[in-house]
Amino acid sequence: MGFKVSVNEQFESQENPKTEEARDAANAWIARFAPLVMEDEVLTAPEVRARLATVEALRSDSGEVRRGLQVYGSDADWELSSTLDRAIAQLDSVEEGFRKQLGLLAPGDPEGKANLERLNQRLTERSARQELGLQAEAEMPAVLEEKTSPANWAAAGGIGLFGFGWTSFTTFHAVLMIGGMYSAFGIGALALLGFYAIFFAVGFAMLGAAVNAASDESIELDGRSLTVRRKLGWWVRKKHYSLGPEAKAEIGKVNAVKMGAGNSNSVMPAIVIPDAQGRPVSFGSGKTVEQRKALRDRINAYLAVTRP
C-alpha cells in the first residue's frame, strides 16, 4: 500500500510536458512584445512599419498562447499569466501609437494614422494666433541626443605619439637652423619661420586629432540647432551649428586626421550634414557601418518631423 502511494506521489509531481510548452510560448510572446514598450528612441518610418507588423503577429498568436497557459498552466504561473493578459490588453494602444508616429514620419502612408487630438490642438493654436495677428508657429518636438563616437585610445596614442615626435623634431630643427642662419644673415633668417610653419601646422593637426580620438563624441539636435560635443575627462568642447530647412544627413568621406583616426593621406566614413551656409559638419566616425546607417536614419527622421 505504501509503495503504491509513493508511486502516485512521484507520478503527480511530474509536470505535464504541455505545461512547459505553454510557459515557453508565453515567455516567447512577452519577449517579442517587451521592446515595443520598453525602448524609447526616435524611429524611422521602416522601423515603425516593422513594429506594426510585430504587433499584428502578436495579436494573431495571443489567443492560442493565452489558451495554452489557461489550460495547462499551474498556480505558479500566476505572474506570467497576469503579465500576458495585461500585455495583450495593451496591443491596441501600442498599435495606435505607432500608427500616429508613422503618420508624422510618412504623411499619407496607408498604415499611418493622424493624431486627431494633437491636430485639433495645433489648429486651435494657429487659429488663435491668426486672430491675434501673429504668425502661426510649429510646435517644437523633443531634443534628439545621440552618442556618436566613443573614445578610441589606441588611435589617440598612435596619432599623438607621431604628432609629438613630429612637432618636437620640427621645433629642435627650427631652433638650430634659424639660430645658425641668424648668426650668418641676421634678422633675415626669420623668414624661415614661414617655411617651418607648414610643419608646425601638420604637427598641431595630428595632436588635435589625438585629442579628438581620445574624446567621447555626442550630438544634440534641437530643431535646426546642432551641437557637437566632445568630452575628454572634465574638458568639454562644444561647437554649435545652424542647419538649413532642407538639411539632410548623409554618409560621406572625411579626412581621417580631422576625425582623429588615421594618417593625413587617408579618408574614412562619417555622417556629414551641411550647415545653413552649406559647410559640411561631420561626426560619427567611430561607429560601425550599421550603427552609422541607423544614426543617419534617426537624424533624418527627426529632421523630417521638425521640418519648418
Side-chain angles (χ1 to χ4, degrees):
M1 187 66 165
F3 173 77
K4 289 183 178 180
V5 171
S6 63
V7 170
N8 289 337
E9 290 176 350
Q10 182 179 3
F11 178 80
E12 291 174 0
S13 66
Q14 294 178 350
E15 270 191 348
N16 189 329
K18 294 289 188 179
T19 300
E20 193 64 29
E21 292 179 8
R23 285 178 187 158
D24 291 343
N27 280 314
W29 192 98
I30 291 174
R32 292 159 60 199
F33 174 85
L36 300 178
V37 295
M38 296 293 290
E39 295 179 355
D40 185 16
E41 59 179 344
V42 176
L43 301 176
T44 63
E47 289 172 336
V48 174
R49 293 190 188 97
R51 281 160 174 74
L52 284 171
T54 300
V55 170
E56 187 61 32
L58 288 171
R59 180 181 287 110
S60 176
D61 298 340
S62 61
E64 182 179 352
V65 173
R66 174 187 272 168
R67 283 192 298 272
L69 200 59
Q70 288 174 343
V71 173
Y72 299 107
S74 64
D75 293 340
D77 299 319
W78 67 268
E79 184 177 11
L80 179 61
S81 179
S82 174
T83 303
L84 179 65
D85 288 341
R86 295 177 63 189
I88 292 174
Q90 289 295 317
L91 281 176
D92 290 342
S93 174
V94 172
E95 180 182 17
E96 183 177 3
F98 283 132
R99 291 197 183 281
K100 289 180 178 179
Q101 189 172 353
L102 184 59
L104 289 174
L105 293 173
D109 191 293
E111 294 188 63
K113 180 178 180 181
N115 188 327
L116 298 181
E117 181 179 355
R118 183 178 178 185
L119 177 60
N120 282 308
Q121 182 181 2
R122 181 71 61 83
L123 292 173
T124 300
E125 292 174 357
R126 293 178 66 89
S127 297
R129 287 182 172 276
Q130 289 175 347
E131 290 176 2
L132 294 174
L134 302 176
Q135 181 179 1
E137 297 178 356
E139 177 186 350
M140 183 64 66
V143 174
L144 176 64
E145 295 184 8
E146 293 282 349
K147 185 172 182 178
T148 52
S149 288
N152 187 338
W153 288 99
I159 301 172
L161 181 62
F162 190 83
F164 177 76
W166 179 284
T167 306
S168 298
F169 177 78
T170 301
T171 302
F172 178 75
H173 193 276
V175 170
L176 289 182
M177 181 64 71
I178 295 177
M181 296 292 287
Y182 187 84
S183 300
F185 300 102
I187 196 171
L190 297 179
L192 288 173
L193 289 173
F195 171 75
Y196 282 104
I198 300 173
F199 297 92
F200 278 116
V202 174
F204 291 149
M206 287 188 286
L207 293 175
V211 172
N212 286 341
S215 302
D216 288 315
E217 181 188 77
S218 61
I219 64 167
E220 180 180 291
L221 193 55
D222 186 356
R224 288 302 185 272
S225 177
L226 171 65
T227 300
V228 179
R229 183 184 297 106
R230 291 185 174 91
K231 182 179 180 182
L232 178 59
W234 52 267
W235 183 28
V236 179
R237 293 163 294 143
K238 297 181 181 180
K239 286 188 176 181
H240 302 280
Y241 305 91
S242 294
L243 306 181
E246 301 298 327
K248 185 177 180 181
E250 300 287 352
I251 295 178
K253 300 288 187 178
V254 296
N255 185 281
V257 167
K258 177 183 177 183
M259 301 304 292
N263 58 65
S264 59
N265 295 321
S266 65
V267 294
M268 63 185 306
I271 295 177
V272 181
I273 185 169
D275 64 9
Q277 286 72 44
R279 295 171 296 196
V281 180
S282 53
F283 51 84
S285 62
K287 287 190 173 291
T288 64
V289 174
E290 294 302 321
Q291 290 174 336
R292 197 176 296 115
K293 290 180 179 178
L295 177 59
R296 175 201 61 189
D297 292 343
R298 284 197 297 273
I299 291 173
N300 287 335
Y302 176 87
L303 292 173
V305 172
T306 60
R307 188 177 299 280

